[in-house]
PDB file of all heavy atoms in Angstrom:
ATOM      1  N   MET A  28      -6.099   3.614   4.543  1.00 99.00           N
ATOM      2  CA  MET A  28      -5.545   2.601   3.620  1.00 99.00           C
ATOM      3  C   MET A  28      -4.540   1.747   4.392  1.00 99.00           C
ATOM      4  O   MET A  28      -3.772   2.259   5.208  1.00 99.00           O
ATOM      5  CB  MET A  28      -4.875   3.355   2.459  1.00 99.00           C
ATOM      6  CG  MET A  28      -4.068   2.559   1.477  1.00 99.00           C
ATOM      7  SD  MET A  28      -3.914   3.550  -0.079  1.00 99.00           S
ATOM      8  CE  MET A  28      -2.347   3.043  -0.686  1.00 99.00           C
ATOM      9  N   THR A  30      -2.084  -2.125   3.915  1.00 99.00           N
ATOM     10  CA  THR A  30      -1.682  -3.182   2.986  1.00 99.00           C
ATOM     11  C   THR A  30      -2.315  -4.506   3.410  1.00 99.00           C
ATOM     12  O   THR A  30      -2.647  -4.704   4.582  1.00 99.00           O
ATOM     13  CB  THR A  30      -0.152  -3.385   2.974  1.00 99.00           C
ATOM     14  OG1 THR A  30       0.263  -3.804   4.277  1.00 99.00           O
ATOM     15  CG2 THR A  30       0.577  -2.127   2.564  1.00 99.00           C
ATOM     16  N   TYR A  32      -1.855  -8.878   1.896  1.00 98.00           N
ATOM     17  CA  TYR A  32      -1.220  -9.710   0.866  1.00 98.00           C
ATOM     18  C   TYR A  32      -1.870 -11.091   0.776  1.00 98.00           C
ATOM     19  O   TYR A  32      -1.468 -11.915  -0.037  1.00 98.00           O
ATOM     20  CB  TYR A  32       0.276  -9.898   1.171  1.00 98.00           C
ATOM     21  CG  TYR A  32       0.946  -8.639   1.663  1.00 98.00           C
ATOM     22  CD1 TYR A  32       1.218  -8.455   3.015  1.00 98.00           C
ATOM     23  CD2 TYR A  32       1.283  -7.622   0.766  1.00 98.00           C
ATOM     24  CE1 TYR A  32       1.815  -7.292   3.472  1.00 98.00           C
ATOM     25  CE2 TYR A  32       1.879  -6.455   1.217  1.00 98.00           C
ATOM     26  CZ  TYR A  32       2.141  -6.291   2.569  1.00 98.00           C
ATOM     27  OH  TYR A  32       2.730  -5.131   3.017  1.00 98.00           O
ATOM     28  N   LEU A  49      -4.078  -1.882  -0.133  1.00 99.00           N
ATOM     29  CA  LEU A  49      -2.945  -1.876  -1.065  1.00 99.00           C
ATOM     30  C   LEU A  49      -2.257  -3.233  -1.011  1.00 99.00           C
ATOM     31  O   LEU A  49      -1.787  -3.654   0.053  1.00 99.00           O
ATOM     32  CB  LEU A  49      -1.943  -0.778  -0.664  1.00 99.00           C
ATOM     33  CG  LEU A  49      -0.608  -0.808  -1.419  1.00 99.00           C
ATOM     34  CD1 LEU A  49      -0.803  -0.507  -2.904  1.00 99.00           C
ATOM     35  CD2 LEU A  49       0.378   0.189  -0.811  1.00 99.00           C
ATOM     36  N   VAL A  50      -2.233  -3.914  -2.152  1.00 99.00           N
ATOM     37  CA  VAL A  50      -1.396  -5.115  -2.249  1.00 99.00           C
ATOM     38  C   VAL A  50      -0.023  -4.573  -2.647  1.00 99.00           C
ATOM     39  O   VAL A  50       0.280  -4.381  -3.828  1.00 99.00           O
ATOM     40  CB  VAL A  50      -1.947  -6.111  -3.290  1.00 99.00           C
ATOM     41  CG1 VAL A  50      -1.123  -7.392  -3.270  1.00 99.00           C
ATOM     42  CG2 VAL A  50      -3.417  -6.400  -3.022  1.00 99.00           C
ATOM     43  N   GLY A  51       0.745  -4.226  -1.636  1.00 98.00           N
ATOM     44  CA  GLY A  51       2.006  -3.526  -1.862  1.00 98.00           C
ATOM     45  C   GLY A  51       3.126  -4.485  -2.230  1.00 98.00           C
ATOM     46  O   GLY A  51       3.107  -5.665  -1.845  1.00 98.00           O
ATOM     47  N   ASP A  52       4.127  -3.942  -2.927  1.00 98.00           N
ATOM     48  CA  ASP A  52       5.305  -4.783  -3.187  1.00 98.00           C
ATOM     49  C   ASP A  52       6.138  -4.937  -1.916  1.00 98.00           C
ATOM     50  O   ASP A  52       7.133  -5.659  -1.904  1.00 98.00           O
ATOM     51  CB  ASP A  52       6.130  -4.250  -4.372  1.00 98.00           C
ATOM     52  CG  ASP A  52       6.631  -2.843  -4.161  1.00 98.00           C
ATOM     53  OD1 ASP A  52       6.317  -2.235  -3.126  1.00 98.00           O
ATOM     54  OD2 ASP A  52       7.349  -2.346  -5.063  1.00 98.00           O
ATOM     55  N   SER A  53       5.675  -4.276  -0.813  1.00 98.00           N
ATOM     56  CA  SER A  53       6.269  -4.551   0.501  1.00 98.00           C
ATOM     57  C   SER A  53       6.050  -6.015   0.885  1.00 98.00           C
ATOM     58  O   SER A  53       6.660  -6.501   1.845  1.00 98.00           O
ATOM     59  CB  SER A  53       5.671  -3.629   1.561  1.00 98.00           C
ATOM     60  OG  SER A  53       4.259  -3.634   1.491  1.00 98.00           O
ATOM     61  N   ALA A  54       5.209  -6.749   0.149  1.00 98.00           N
ATOM     62  CA  ALA A  54       5.103  -8.204   0.318  1.00 98.00           C
ATOM     63  C   ALA A  54       6.482  -8.843   0.191  1.00 98.00           C
ATOM     64  O   ALA A  54       6.772  -9.866   0.832  1.00 98.00           O
ATOM     65  CB  ALA A  54       4.167  -8.792  -0.731  1.00 98.00           C
ATOM     66  N   THR A  64      12.298  -4.289  -1.938  1.00 98.00           N
ATOM     67  CA  THR A  64      11.093  -4.662  -2.697  1.00 98.00           C
ATOM     68  C   THR A  64      11.450  -5.129  -4.119  1.00 98.00           C
ATOM     69  O   THR A  64      10.553  -5.520  -4.876  1.00 98.00           O
ATOM     70  CB  THR A  64      10.121  -3.464  -2.809  1.00 98.00           C
ATOM     71  OG1 THR A  64      10.802  -2.355  -3.401  1.00 98.00           O
ATOM     72  CG2 THR A  64       9.582  -3.056  -1.456  1.00 98.00           C
ATOM     73  N   ASP A  91       0.361  -2.983  -6.485  1.00 99.00           N
ATOM     74  CA  ASP A  91       1.638  -2.416  -6.935  1.00 99.00           C
ATOM     75  C   ASP A  91       2.151  -3.133  -8.178  1.00 99.00           C
ATOM     76  O   ASP A  91       2.174  -4.379  -8.226  1.00 99.00           O
ATOM     77  CB  ASP A  91       2.707  -2.587  -5.842  1.00 99.00           C
ATOM     78  CG  ASP A  91       2.874  -1.343  -4.995  1.00 99.00           C
ATOM     79  OD1 ASP A  91       2.457  -0.247  -5.424  1.00 99.00           O
ATOM     80  OD2 ASP A  91       3.426  -1.474  -3.886  1.00 99.00           O
ATOM     81  N   LYS A 121      -0.660   0.712  -8.805  1.00 98.00           N
ATOM     82  CA  LYS A 121       0.173   1.807  -8.309  1.00 98.00           C
ATOM     83  C   LYS A 121       1.581   1.610  -8.867  1.00 98.00           C
ATOM     84  O   LYS A 121       2.040   0.475  -8.987  1.00 98.00           O
ATOM     85  CB  LYS A 121       0.204   1.814  -6.767  1.00 98.00           C
ATOM     86  CG  LYS A 121       1.201   2.819  -6.181  1.00 98.00           C
ATOM     87  CD  LYS A 121       0.981   3.078  -4.696  1.00 98.00           C
ATOM     88  CE  LYS A 121       1.645   2.113  -3.765  1.00 98.00           C
ATOM     89  NZ  LYS A 121       3.113   2.018  -3.890  1.00 98.00           N
ATOM     90  N   GLU A 123       5.703   3.647  -9.028  1.00 98.00           N
ATOM     91  CA  GLU A 123       6.563   4.666  -8.423  1.00 98.00           C
ATOM     92  C   GLU A 123       7.184   5.565  -9.491  1.00 98.00           C
ATOM     93  O   GLU A 123       7.602   5.085 -10.542  1.00 98.00           O
ATOM     94  CB  GLU A 123       7.688   3.985  -7.619  1.00 98.00           C
ATOM     95  CG  GLU A 123       7.158   3.157  -6.460  1.00 98.00           C
ATOM     96  CD  GLU A 123       8.261   2.480  -5.637  1.00 98.00           C
ATOM     97  OE1 GLU A 123       9.463   2.724  -5.905  1.00 98.00           O
ATOM     98  OE2 GLU A 123       7.904   1.694  -4.746  1.00 98.00           O
ATOM     99  N   HIS A 145       3.128   7.376  -6.878  1.00 98.00           N
ATOM    100  CA  HIS A 145       3.890   7.196  -5.620  1.00 98.00           C
ATOM    101  C   HIS A 145       5.177   8.013  -5.740  1.00 98.00           C
ATOM    102  O   HIS A 145       6.021   7.694  -6.587  1.00 98.00           O
ATOM    103  CB  HIS A 145       4.175   5.700  -5.423  1.00 98.00           C
ATOM    104  CG  HIS A 145       4.866   5.356  -4.135  1.00 98.00           C
ATOM    105  ND1 HIS A 145       4.764   4.108  -3.548  1.00 98.00           N
ATOM    106  CD2 HIS A 145       5.685   6.062  -3.318  1.00 98.00           C
ATOM    107  CE1 HIS A 145       5.467   4.080  -2.431  1.00 98.00           C
ATOM    108  NE2 HIS A 145       6.056   5.259  -2.279  1.00 98.00           N
ATOM    109  N   VAL A 188       0.422   8.477  -3.570  1.00 98.00           N
ATOM    110  CA  VAL A 188       1.032   8.201  -2.270  1.00 98.00           C
ATOM    111  C   VAL A 188       2.277   9.066  -2.137  1.00 98.00           C
ATOM    112  O   VAL A 188       3.077   9.157  -3.071  1.00 98.00           O
ATOM    113  CB  VAL A 188       1.411   6.700  -2.133  1.00 98.00           C
ATOM    114  CG1 VAL A 188       2.378   6.480  -0.978  1.00 98.00           C
ATOM    115  CG2 VAL A 188       0.175   5.845  -1.921  1.00 98.00           C
ATOM    116  N   GLU A 190       5.517   9.278   0.288  1.00 98.00           N
ATOM    117  CA  GLU A 190       6.179   8.504   1.348  1.00 98.00           C
ATOM    118  C   GLU A 190       7.362   9.275   1.910  1.00 98.00           C
ATOM    119  O   GLU A 190       8.243   9.724   1.164  1.00 98.00           O
ATOM    120  CB  GLU A 190       6.626   7.145   0.782  1.00 98.00           C
ATOM    121  CG  GLU A 190       7.312   6.271   1.831  1.00 98.00           C
ATOM    122  CD  GLU A 190       7.445   4.808   1.419  1.00 98.00           C
ATOM    123  OE1 GLU A 190       6.923   4.408   0.350  1.00 98.00           O
ATOM    124  OE2 GLU A 190       8.091   4.056   2.182  1.00 98.00           O
ATOM    125  N   ILE A 211       2.413   8.393   3.977  1.00 98.00           N
ATOM    126  CA  ILE A 211       3.032   7.454   4.925  1.00 98.00           C
ATOM    127  C   ILE A 211       4.306   8.159   5.370  1.00 98.00           C
ATOM    128  O   ILE A 211       5.191   8.434   4.564  1.00 98.00           O
ATOM    129  CB  ILE A 211       3.274   6.045   4.309  1.00 98.00           C
ATOM    130  CG1 ILE A 211       4.074   5.170   5.287  1.00 98.00           C
ATOM    131  CG2 ILE A 211       3.920   6.080   2.925  1.00 98.00           C
ATOM    132  CD1 ILE A 211       4.047   3.669   4.966  1.00 98.00           C
ATOM    133  N   VAL A 221      -1.647   5.708   4.970  1.00 99.00           N
ATOM    134  CA  VAL A 221      -1.437   4.286   4.690  1.00 99.00           C
ATOM    135  C   VAL A 221      -0.319   3.772   5.583  1.00 99.00           C
ATOM    136  O   VAL A 221       0.648   4.487   5.849  1.00 99.00           O
ATOM    137  CB  VAL A 221      -1.106   4.020   3.192  1.00 99.00           C
ATOM    138  CG1 VAL A 221       0.080   4.795   2.690  1.00 99.00           C
ATOM    139  CG2 VAL A 221      -0.916   2.519   2.926  1.00 99.00           C
ATOM    140  N   VAL A 223       1.797  -0.188   6.460  1.00 98.00           N
ATOM    141  CA  VAL A 223       1.950  -1.619   6.189  1.00 98.00           C
ATOM    142  C   VAL A 223       1.289  -2.350   7.365  1.00 98.00           C
ATOM    143  O   VAL A 223       1.627  -2.100   8.524  1.00 98.00           O
ATOM    144  CB  VAL A 223       3.451  -1.979   6.051  1.00 98.00           C
ATOM    145  CG1 VAL A 223       3.654  -3.481   6.049  1.00 98.00           C
ATOM    146  CG2 VAL A 223       4.012  -1.357   4.772  1.00 98.00           C
TER     147      VAL A 223
HETATM  148  O1  KIV B   1       4.466  -1.466  -0.915  1.00 94.67           O
HETATM  149  C1  KIV B   1       3.946  -0.774  -0.030  1.00 94.67           C
HETATM  150  O2  KIV B   1       3.550  -1.262   1.046  1.00 94.67           O
HETATM  151  C2  KIV B   1       3.810   0.660  -0.269  1.00 94.67           C
HETATM  152  C3  KIV B   1       3.377   1.509   0.888  1.00 94.67           C
HETATM  153  C4  KIV B   1       4.508   1.699   1.809  1.00 94.67           C
HETATM  154  C5  KIV B   1       2.799   2.789   0.430  1.00 94.67           C
HETATM  155  O3  KIV B   1       4.047   1.110  -1.333  1.00 94.67           O
END
Side-chain angles (χ1 to χ4, degrees):
M28 172 160 149
T30 63
Y32 319 102
L49 171 65
V50 185
D52 59 358
S53 49
T64 56
D91 263 341
K121 172 165 85 59
E123 297 181 5
H145 184 155
V188 164
E190 181 165 355
I211 173 164
V221 56
V223 169

